[in-house]
Amino acid sequence: MKAGIVVFPGTNRERDMEQALRLVSGKAPTMLWHRDTTLPDLDLIVLPGGFSFGDYLRSGAMGAHSPILSEVRAFAERGGYVLGVCNGFQILTEAQLLPGALLRNTGMRFLSQDGYLRVEAGDTAFTRDWSKGDVFRAPLAHGDGNYTASEASWIVSKGKSASRSAMFAPRAGWMRRAASAIPTEASAPLRVF
């Protein structure tokens, strides 16, 4: 797998992502600067966590207008895989590569805690080792993680099940739902984080 990691001013998780991708693939990913206007031959583009441009305007808003995002969009439209983690996910929503928006958390609190995510489709490149319905724990830390989208944007093309994981942006036109957490109590309603 040939992966690239987009680095923005304020990104602070690119080295963690680099280590994870090297561990999984055995290959060093290419570091991509936000001002780049071309991409090398890649299978996966990752937008890691951090605080792009300090998140001064709104989380991910300034990063969404970086020159490399037009290349990321074209890559996704050609069927390439795009993974947005934390601030990277926020950038993807701001760039409208994913539907919806991320709002301030309820009570305007910064959250740093474990979230529980349910796999809704086990046949994606990111979930193929899991089954639909599997639940896994993932750390989360954000102030703007209250994901919202219209029900119409949650419809999935070609009969594919939607994923409730905020951890990736799937292939263009393939999956369109993201970001619901699974509470630890089975009877509790789903909440969006």
Side-chain angles (χ1 to χ4, degrees):
M1 172 179 59
K2 295 175 284 186
I5 301 172
V6 180
V7 180
F8 299 88
T11 300
N12 62 15
R13 306 316 313 173
E14 72 274 11
R15 296 297 167 206
D16 295 338
M17 186 58 68
E18 186 271 336
Q19 289 176 353
L21 290 171
R22 184 188 302 264
L23 180 67
V24 168
S25 71
K27 299 176 186 172
T30 301
M31 301 308 264
L32 307 166
W33 186 235
H34 72 106
R35 288 188 181 165
D36 290 347
T37 56
T38 60
L39 295 173
D41 181 33
L42 298 170
D43 302 310
L44 169 69
I45 297 174
V46 180
L47 284 73
F51 301 91
S52 61
F53 296 94
D55 286 342
Y56 290 116
L57 177 60
R58 186 175 57 250
S59 295
M62 292 173 71
H65 296 285
S66 290
I68 199 164
L69 262 291
S70 62
E71 293 300 311
V72 172
R73 179 182 305 281
F75 176 81
E77 288 171 354
R78 291 190 305 271
Y81 293 103
V82 177
L83 174 67
V85 179
C86 190
N87 193 240
F89 185 85
Q90 293 166 330
I91 292 169
L92 292 173
T93 59
E94 287 288 335
Q96 298 180 353
L97 282 163
L98 289 173
L102 287 140
L103 308 174
R104 294 292 302 166
N105 292 340
T106 303
M108 305 293 282
R109 294 179 339 147
F110 183 88
L111 298 176
S112 180
Q113 64 192 41
D114 287 341
Y116 293 87
L117 307 177
R118 182 176 61 213
V119 176
E120 293 294 321
D123 60 349
T124 75
F126 299 103
T127 61
R128 67 175 175 230
D129 290 337
W130 288 324
S131 297
K132 182 178 179 179
D134 284 352
V135 175
F136 64 95
R137 185 181 68 185
L140 59 92
H142 55 70
D144 297 304
N146 189 4
Y147 180 77
T148 185
S150 71
E151 280 299 318
S153 69
W154 295 26
I155 307 262
V156 179
S157 65
K158 299 182 185 175
K160 294 283 185 184
S161 297
S163 174
R164 292 182 187 234
S165 171
M167 301 182 77
F168 63 91
R171 288 184 157 184
W174 201 37
M175 223 181 272
R176 293 291 182 226
R177 183 171 181 165
S180 291
I182 306 302
T184 54
E185 301 84 31
S187 61
L190 291 177
R191 65 182 174 83
V192 176
F193 62 85

